[in-house]
Amino acid sequence: MWRPWGNKKMPLRIHDTSPPFSCSSFKDIQHLFTQDSSASSKRNANVFHRVRIVNSLLRSWGPARTGKITDSVSDPSISIPGAEKRVVVYFTSLQVVRSTFEDCKTVRSILHGFRVSIDERDLSMDSRFLNELRGILGQSNLTLPRVFIGGRYMGGAEEIKQLHEIGELKKIVERLPAAEPGTCVVCGGYRFLLCNECNGSRKLYTQKSGFKTCTACNENGLIRCPSCSCAHL
């Protein structure tokens, strides 16, 4: 008698869909681990390098971490008198050099997030700011932005971003008084007005001497807003 077909057990084949792994020797496995460890060590070295930079900055600014913000320990002359209650930023709004423009934009965005009084000095609007900054830092070749907090020089874009990442910038800025809400009713927040003498033309005319250059405004025919300037004194 033949067994019924339905009772016959057939072997079940399972297809392996995983990709085949081939390794000629354990040396190949060791080589893979060596590559992973080298990449990880490079990332750790980058992190440790940034931490060392920030720690060195904090050590040099150590006395300012408790109590009132004081001048720089390494060079007390780098400060802005009369700016103890606000942030002063020297920057440019021109997009000629993209990296510089992006650094200025990033730093201004970070500082505006703290809602404190900020005195923004755009070198592209008034070249006198450049001479002013050179006199403060004692340097002729400058990169932007440059930031002063509480009248004290804090550095450029890299220093501000690193301090912000570790939370130290917030501790420093929080000691300053909060900014008054609203914008300036005189200039609308632009911080500059057209010159009243020449109406922005940079030229004055008199019957005696004819045309002459206006000396009351900057090279763009603008003057600083008197309301904003008084508020930052």
Side-chain angles (χ1 to χ4, degrees):
M1 296 292 294
W2 294 94
R3 293 182 179 180
W5 178 260
N7 295 333
K8 187 176 181 180
K9 297 182 179 180
M10 300 295 293
L12 180 62
R13 295 183 179 180
I14 300 176
H15 297 281
D16 188 6
T17 59
S18 60
F21 174 77
S22 62
C23 183
S24 59
S25 66
F26 286 103
K27 292 183 179 180
D28 296 334
I29 299 177
Q30 185 179 5
H31 178 66
L32 293 176
F33 282 109
T34 303
Q35 289 181 338
D36 293 338
S37 62
S38 62
S40 177
S41 63
K42 290 181 179 179
R43 290 193 297 269
N44 293 335
N46 186 27
V47 173
F48 291 147
H49 175 66
R50 298 183 67 182
V51 170
R52 285 196 298 268
I53 293 176
V54 174
N55 286 337
S56 63
L57 290 172
L58 294 178
R59 283 196 298 268
S60 64
W61 299 335
R65 298 182 64 181
T66 58
K68 183 180 179 181
I69 300 177
T70 57
D71 291 340
S72 175
V73 176
S74 58
D75 192 351
S77 63
I78 304 180
S79 62
I80 300 179
E84 291 79 10
K85 295 183 179 180
R86 67 180 186 272
V87 177
V88 179
V89 183
Y90 290 88
F91 74 103
T92 179
S93 58
L94 293 179
Q95 302 185 35
V96 177
V97 181
R98 184 173 182 83
S99 59
T100 300
F101 174 77
E102 292 296 333
D103 285 340
C104 293
K105 182 179 178 181
T106 300
V107 168
R108 292 174 64 203
S109 177
I110 292 173
L111 295 174
H112 277 287
F114 296 111
R115 300 187 182 278
V116 296
S117 179
I118 303 178
D119 183 3
E120 296 179 302
R121 304 183 179 183
D122 190 351
L123 274 66
S124 62
M125 296 293 290
D126 194 339
S127 61
R128 289 177 290 189
F129 288 145
L130 176 59
N131 297 329
E132 180 180 293
L133 183 59
R134 284 174 174 172
I136 294 172
L137 298 179
Q139 302 175 8
S140 58
N141 297 324
L142 299 173
T143 58
L144 298 175
R146 296 298 178 104
V147 180
F148 296 78
I149 299 179
R152 191 166 150 269
Y153 178 60
M154 303 299 293
E158 190 64 26
E159 290 81 3
I160 296 300
K161 288 188 287 187
Q162 289 178 351
L163 289 173
H164 181 58
E165 288 178 1
I166 65 174
E168 288 295 329
L169 184 63
K170 181 179 180 181
K171 297 178 183 178
I172 299 173
V173 176
E174 281 182 343
R175 301 168 191 157
L176 302 177
E180 296 182 0
T183 58
C184 178
V185 296
V186 178
C187 66
Y190 290 102
R191 301 181 185 275
F192 286 93
L193 297 170
L194 282 178
C195 177
N196 295 327
E197 300 292 333
C198 65
N199 294 322
S201 66
R202 293 281 290 143
K203 296 293 184 181
L204 294 175
Y205 178 79
T206 60
Q207 294 182 350
K208 183 178 180 179
S209 58
F211 286 100
K212 63 178 182 179
T213 303
C214 180
T215 58
C217 56
N218 61 20
E219 67 277 7
N220 295 316
L222 302 174
I223 59 172
R224 295 201 70 183
C225 173
S227 178
C228 294
S229 300
C230 293
H232 288 144
L233 291 177

